[in-house]
């Protein structure tokens, strides 16, 4: 399978429109060695050159499609390589790009859990709005680890597990999490036997998540914040990373420590990186620490073949 990183930033992107933190200001001024990034989304094709699955529909989807020729193969007057969309959660940065796909000639094949479908029909009724355009052909994901297939994506197989993270602020159950608000996805290519574990929003590594990470050939996981109090320290929020459902990278029990427990052959990648995160600066000591630990920081346009 071919995995293409369409967007590697967290909500807000990098630089964020209203932000003048060290990273955002430094990128604009050209004084920081860093790359701009659009909001979190990846594309998975069974074979490079064929149709694929869009994982999350970022508000930046139109820019991402323009930047990625593989998404527009041009086989017909109206065409796309996006065979289906799968949502990891119902957050703004992962779902509002659905509006931009409204010109389709047929209902959009869309895979998500029941809590996400509910949020996107009530708190943020994107599905209801889209019924006035292409419509949504929604398929249920059970976040219980059972295997499912997606038409057009053969021979890839998929399994979803419920994660401890957070539903969107507009969710009727934002403060009372239910299984399926956020999922981690295990994608397997049976031809190579190789597996990706993808979890851009991951608040806690419970035994099921640890098991999925250990079994994967590549893990692409939550890279939102370096420290739990990153936004508080900068005076940008009263909330910690943990409060909004993200496990920080540094410190005891942090993501770097968890990734260090994986087999030596596992590819380790961070995605959904917040614009405040010092790892965006290629010259930072935090980035050097990741380099030493063999952890890559995803960039827009990067590809990975498994
Ligand atoms: C998150 O991942 O916590 C959210 O996407 C943040 C946001 O978009 O405001
Ligand atoms: Mn997000
Ligand atoms: Zn910033």
């Amino acid at each position: 399978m071919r995995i293409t990183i369409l967007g590697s930033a967290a909500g807000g992107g990098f630089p964020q429109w209203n932000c003048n933190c060290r990273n955002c200001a430094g990128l604009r001024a050209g004084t920081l060695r860093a790359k701009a990034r659009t909001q979190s989304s990846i594309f998975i094709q069974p074979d490079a050159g064929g149709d694929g699955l869009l994982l999350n529909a970022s508000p930046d989807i139109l820019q991402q499609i323009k930047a990625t020729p593989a998404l527009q193969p041009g086989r017909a007057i109206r065409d796309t390589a996006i065979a289906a969309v799968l949502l990891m959660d119902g957050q703004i940065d992962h779902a509002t790009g659905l509006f931009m796909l409204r010109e389709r000639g047929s209902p959009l094949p869309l895979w998500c859990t029941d809590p996400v479908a509910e949020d996107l029909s009530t708190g943020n009724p994107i599905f209801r709005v889209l019924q006035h355009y292409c419509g949504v052909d929604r398929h249920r994901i059970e976040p219980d680890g059972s295997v499912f297939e997606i038409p057009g994506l053969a021979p890839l197989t998929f399994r979803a597990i419920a994660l401890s993270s957070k539903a969107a602020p507009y969710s009727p159950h934002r403060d009372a999490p239910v299984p399926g608000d956020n999922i981690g996805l295990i994608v397997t290519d049976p031809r190579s036997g190789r597996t990706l574990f993808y979890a851009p929003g991951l608040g806690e590594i419970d035994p099921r998540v640890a098991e999925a990470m250990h079994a994967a050939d590549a893990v692409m996981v939550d890279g939102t914040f370096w420290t739990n109090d990153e936004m508080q320290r900068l005076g940008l929020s009263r909330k910690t990373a943990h409060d909004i459902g993200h496990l920080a990278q540094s410190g005891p029990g942090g993501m770097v420590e968890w990734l260090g427990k994986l087999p030596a052959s596992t590819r380790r990648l961070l995605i959904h990186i917040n614009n405040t995160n010092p790892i965006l600066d290629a010259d930072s000591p935090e980035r050097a620490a990741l380099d030493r630990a063999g952890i890559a920081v995803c960039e827009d346009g990067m590809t990975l073949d498994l």
Side-chain angles (χ1 to χ4, degrees):
M1 66 181 126
R2 154 78 48 103
I3 301 151
T4 305
I5 312 300
L6 303 179
S8 51
F14 177 51
Q16 180 173 308
W17 67 281
N18 64 345
C19 191
N20 290 297
C21 74
R22 180 183 178 276
N23 282 346
C24 290
L27 185 72
R28 284 192 201 97
T31 53
L32 192 82
R33 204 155 65 86
K35 290 195 172 140
R37 285 167 163 84
T38 60
Q39 295 166 84
S40 173
S41 175
I42 68 171
F43 187 62
I44 301 186
Q45 296 157 288
D47 298 290
D51 284 355
L53 176 68
L54 183 72
L55 288 105
N56 295 320
S58 158
D60 301 318
I61 180 76
L62 296 183
Q63 187 184 336
Q64 294 168 346
I65 291 172
K66 279 186 205 136
T68 318
L71 285 171
Q72 181 45 267
R75 298 162 295 197
I77 180 86
R78 289 277 164 93
D79 195 18
T80 178
I82 301 171
V85 180
L86 187 153
L87 301 179
M88 308 299 290
D89 58 47
Q91 298 258 12
I92 296 269
D93 58 342
H94 286 163
T96 48
L98 292 173
F99 283 138
M100 302 307 131
L101 304 179
R102 68 191 178 284
E103 292 93 353
R104 276 182 64 96
S106 60
L108 177 68
L110 188 140
W111 297 71
C112 68
T113 62
D114 280 345
V116 168
E118 191 193 319
D119 288 352
L120 298 182
S121 306
T122 57
N124 183 7
I126 294 178
F127 290 0
R128 284 177 26 212
V129 174
L130 280 177
Q131 291 315 320
H132 299 276
Y133 300 88
C134 61
V136 173
D137 173 23
R138 191 250 158 170
H139 301 262
R140 174 180 291 122
I141 295 178
E142 297 288 358
D144 59 1
S146 56
V147 177
F148 60 98
E149 288 167 14
I150 298 178
L153 276 299
L156 302 185
T157 62
F158 302 86
R159 289 188 290 140
I161 55 176
L163 300 181
S164 164
S165 187
K166 274 283 162 94
Y170 50 74
S171 169
H173 53 270
R174 164 80 164 179
D175 296 313
V178 299
D181 282 336
N182 305 80
I183 56 169
L185 194 70
I186 300 153
V187 187
T188 303
D189 188 331
R191 295 168 299 186
S192 62
R194 299 185 83 192
T195 291
L196 168 75
F197 177 70
Y198 176 59
L202 179 56
E204 232 168 78
I205 301 190
D206 63 23
R208 271 194 110 185
V209 174
E211 189 193 319
M213 286 169 69
H214 273 268
D217 296 284
V219 297
M220 193 179 284
V221 290
D222 192 326
T224 314
F225 299 113
W226 180 255
T227 42
N228 192 46
D229 62 354
E230 190 167 308
M231 298 285 277
Q232 293 173 322
R233 276 203 231 174
L234 291 167
L236 297 176
S237 172
R238 279 200 288 264
K239 295 195 167 124
T240 63
H242 184 260
D243 290 337
I244 58 169
H246 300 290
L247 176 66
Q249 283 113 54
S250 61
M255 189 64 86
V256 170
E257 188 182 295
W258 275 103
L259 293 175
K261 298 177 186 176
L262 301 179
S265 60
T266 311
R267 297 266 319 248
R268 300 139 217 253
L269 304 105
L270 296 174
I271 192 161
H272 189 278
I273 302 148
N274 200 57
N275 57 77
T276 51
N277 192 327
I279 65 174
L280 289 169
D281 176 356
D283 297 318
S284 65
E286 292 84 357
R287 175 68 83 85
L290 292 186
D291 289 345
R292 283 194 302 276
I295 301 169
V297 180
C298 284
E299 288 177 8
D300 294 16
M302 223 173 96
T303 59
L304 181 70
D305 288 311
L306 281 182

